[in-house]
Amino acid sequence: MKNFKTKCYVLLGMFAIFNGAIAQESEISEAKIISVINPLQSHNIQVGDVLSRKIILDVKAPYQLSLQTLPMKGVRHDDVELSQISITQSASKEGIQYNIDLRYQVFTAVFVPSVLQLPAEKFALTGGPQALSVNLPAWKFWFSPLAPKGMTKARENMHMQFKPTQIDLQQHKNKLIVFTGILIVGLLGLVYINADKRWLPFMNGAFAKAHRKLKKLPKNAEGEKQALSDMHQAFNQLHGSNLFANELNIFLTKHPAFVKLTKEIEAFFEQSNQALFAQKTQSGDQLMADLMVLSRRLRDCERGV
């Protein structure tokens, strides 16, 4: 009889161990922590600091997380309080994935560096043939006190406040003035080079006037004749008398700024003779376009650009 009881106890113990093994195997297969994100810093934590843990838990069907057994907001463990808990979930055919966000705040009055920990948590699962749970281990950190032990009068340990050192801005002011001057000169230069108006000095030269007139002329036979006449008038004004093709060398000697456009000027006089005194060989639109380009380039030479 005694041997029979002993055998029964042995069998019951083996059965319990077998059930525990099955339960542990079910826990691993039916629920799994995908990731745990602990606080980045585990040292120099002070009173009032908030520490966050994020857990992603994957639970297979038909199990689901038991919301009734979750840790309660405001619960304290060793001077660490759970200040906030939030859960989001996404379902799939295989089961449910839970994103659990836990935030803890440190409340302790120790005056020496100490090792504290975010408490271990246990997440219960329901809905299956047996109850399962997933354990989240504790996370340890170093707590640093704000004041050392034995300090009774804070005023005696206070430091004098000093005004921040002033920065000498004079060199920056000088650079700003110089750069502003360069910017203004550059802008005036761009206006001087590209503008056609008369309100700036040295902008009302002979070819500047001719260029403005050409821009207003119609693109027809009368406009072409007037454009050629305006260009000749500009050459005559600079030359001091009527300028003919055989006098171009004298003109360029007196006005060397136009030497770089010698070929273009000679081509203009040839085009002018063909248009005014011979059979026209160039289309009106092309002639007006060429005169516009030439007048602008002559205007730039006139301005010394």
Side-chain angles (χ1 to χ4, degrees), residues 146 228 271 289 292 294:
L146 294 176
L228 292 171
Q271 287 179 340
M292 285 295 299
L294 179 61

Side-chain angles (χ1 to χ4, degrees), residues 136-255:
L136 177 67
W139 184 79
K140 295 182 179 181
F141 62 91
W142 275 98
F143 173 80
S144 299
L146 294 176
K149 185 178 181 180
M151 189 180 71
T152 57
K153 295 182 179 180
R155 180 176 294 181
E156 296 178 357
N157 295 276
M158 293 179 63
H159 298 279
M160 293 293 294
Q161 292 185 353
F162 297 94
K163 293 183 178 180
T165 305
Q166 295 184 352
I167 301 175
D168 185 13
L169 299 178
Q170 187 59 41
Q171 57 177 347
H172 300 290
K173 291 181 180 179
N174 295 335
K175 291 180 180 179
L176 180 61
I177 293 174
V178 172
F179 291 148
T180 303
I182 294 174
L183 177 62
I184 293 174
V185 173
L187 291 175
L188 290 177
L190 290 174
V191 172
Y192 180 73
I193 292 172
N194 298 291
D196 287 332
K197 303 299 181 182
R198 304 180 182 181
W199 47 269
L200 283 177
F202 309 108
M203 294 184 64
N204 201 27
F207 287 107
K209 292 179 182 178
H211 183 68
R212 286 194 291 268
K213 290 179 181 179
L214 263 63
K215 292 172 65 176
K216 301 177 181 179
L217 292 176
K219 294 181 180 181
N220 51 30
E222 294 181 359
E224 295 168 17
K225 291 182 179 181
Q226 185 62 44
L228 292 171
S229 176
D230 292 337
M231 291 290 291
H232 279 290
Q233 186 177 356
F235 278 108
N236 296 338
Q237 184 177 347
L238 282 178
H239 187 57
S241 60
N242 292 336
L243 178 64
F244 298 99
N246 57 356
E247 298 176 342
L248 285 180
N249 290 334
I250 300 175
F251 174 82
L252 294 175
T253 302
K254 291 173 58 178
H255 304 282

Side-chain angles (χ1 to χ4, degrees), residues 11-298:
L11 290 175
L12 288 174
M14 293 178 63
F15 182 73
I17 295 173
F18 180 72
N19 283 341
I22 293 177
Q24 183 68 22
E25 183 180 357
S26 298
E27 180 181 351
I28 296 174
S29 62
E30 299 297 339
K32 184 179 180 181
I33 295 180
I34 302 301
S35 67
V36 177
I37 302 177
N38 290 313
L40 296 177
Q41 185 172 332
S42 61
H43 61 279
N44 199 27
I45 307 300
Q46 297 178 336
V47 62
D49 287 351
V50 177
L51 305 176
S52 299
R53 302 187 81 184
K54 295 183 179 180
I55 304 97
I56 299 178
L57 180 62
D58 194 6
V59 180
K60 293 185 179 181
Y63 287 96
Q64 57 186 2
L65 183 64
S66 177
L67 302 180
Q68 289 76 16
T69 60
L70 291 175
M72 299 293 294
K73 177 181 178 181
V75 175
R76 285 197 184 187
H77 295 278
D78 298 331
D79 296 329
V80 176
E81 179 182 309
L82 180 62
S83 60
Q84 184 178 348
I85 178 172
S86 60
I87 301 176
T88 58
Q89 62 185 44
S90 57
S92 63
K93 294 181 180 180
E94 291 77 12
I96 303 175
Q97 187 175 89
Y98 296 91
N99 292 274
I100 306 172
D101 189 357
L102 302 171
R103 294 191 180 184
Y104 300 89
Q105 193 164 15
V106 181
F107 293 102
T108 184
V110 297
F111 291 97
V112 294
S114 306
V115 177
L116 302 179
Q117 67 179 17
L118 301 183
E121 305 290 355
K122 186 176 183 179
F123 303 106
L125 306 176
T126 59
Q130 56 184 338
L132 300 178
S133 64
V134 177
N135 297 321
L136 177 67
W139 184 79
K140 295 182 179 181
F141 62 91
W142 275 98
F143 173 80
S144 299
L146 294 176
K149 185 178 181 180
M151 189 180 71
T152 57
K153 295 182 179 180
R155 180 176 294 181
E156 296 178 357
N157 295 276
M158 293 179 63
H159 298 279
M160 293 293 294
Q161 292 185 353
F162 297 94
K163 293 183 178 180
T165 305
Q166 295 184 352
I167 301 175
D168 185 13
L169 299 178
Q170 187 59 41
Q171 57 177 347
H172 300 290
K173 291 181 180 179
N174 295 335
K175 291 180 180 179
L176 180 61
I177 293 174
V178 172
F179 291 148
T180 303
I182 294 174
L183 177 62
I184 293 174
V185 173
L187 291 175
L188 290 177
L190 290 174
V191 172
Y192 180 73
I193 292 172
N194 298 291
D196 287 332
K197 303 299 181 182
R198 304 180 182 181
W199 47 269
L200 283 177
F202 309 108
M203 294 184 64
N204 201 27
F207 287 107
K209 292 179 182 178
H211 183 68
R212 286 194 291 268
K213 290 179 181 179
L214 263 63
K215 292 172 65 176
K216 301 177 181 179
L217 292 176
K219 294 181 180 181
N220 51 30
E222 294 181 359
E224 295 168 17
K225 291 182 179 181
Q226 185 62 44
L228 292 171
S229 176
D230 292 337
M231 291 290 291
H232 279 290
Q233 186 177 356
F235 278 108
N236 296 338
Q237 184 177 347
L238 282 178
H239 187 57
S241 60
N242 292 336
L243 178 64
F244 298 99
N246 57 356
E247 298 176 342
L248 285 180
N249 290 334
I250 300 175
F251 174 82
L252 294 175
T253 302
K254 291 173 58 178
H255 304 282
F258 299 93
V259 172
K260 60 184 178 181
L261 295 180
T262 301
K263 293 183 179 180
E264 288 83 350
I265 295 173
E266 292 175 350
F268 162 74
F269 276 88
E270 183 178 353
Q271 287 179 340
S272 176
N273 291 333
Q274 291 179 356
L276 296 176
F277 307 109
Q279 184 178 2
K280 190 174 179 182
T281 59
Q282 191 176 20
S283 64
D285 292 342
Q286 184 62 42
L287 177 60
M288 291 296 292
D290 292 342
L291 291 177
M292 285 295 299
V293 173
L294 179 61
S295 64
R296 178 174 57 79
R297 297 187 65 185
L298 291 170

